[in-house]
Amino acid sequence: PATSHSFTVDIRGTYDEIKMFLRLLEQNEYPLEVHELSMTTDEADLISASMRLVTYVDELVLVSNN
């Protein structure tokens, strides 16, 4: 069975930069799921986004011929 691992990522940028970051997450080799996402804007019209990402790792089983 796979074990889940979660971590938080905080980023700040323009709307287009945030969208590009999320696109890159989709293209990542490792499966990443966004489980929580909150966004706010500031006076400079930049977006601060905080997200909790979850990935899954299969347990490694070593088989010996001995």
Side-chain angles (χ1 to χ4, degrees):
T3 302
S4 66
H5 298 277
S6 67
F7 55 97
T8 302
V9 174
D10 297 314
I11 59 174
R12 184 171 182 248
T14 64
Y15 176 77
D16 288 334
E17 290 169 337
I18 301 294
K19 280 182 19 180
M20 178 58 70
F21 179 81
L22 293 171
R23 279 192 196 115
L24 291 173
L25 286 181
E26 288 181 327
Q27 297 171 5
N28 189 29
E29 283 188 42
Y30 300 99
L32 292 170
E33 297 175 355
V34 178
H35 279 221
E36 294 176 14
L37 173 64
S38 63
M39 295 188 283
T40 58
T41 59
D42 61 19
E43 297 91 28
D45 288 331
L46 292 178
I47 298 170
S48 293
S50 180
M51 60 194 79
R52 186 170 62 92
L53 303 177
V54 176
T55 188
Y56 299 91
V57 178
D58 286 329
E59 292 182 21
L60 181 63
V61 177
L62 298 177
V63 178
S64 174
N65 289 332
N66 296 334

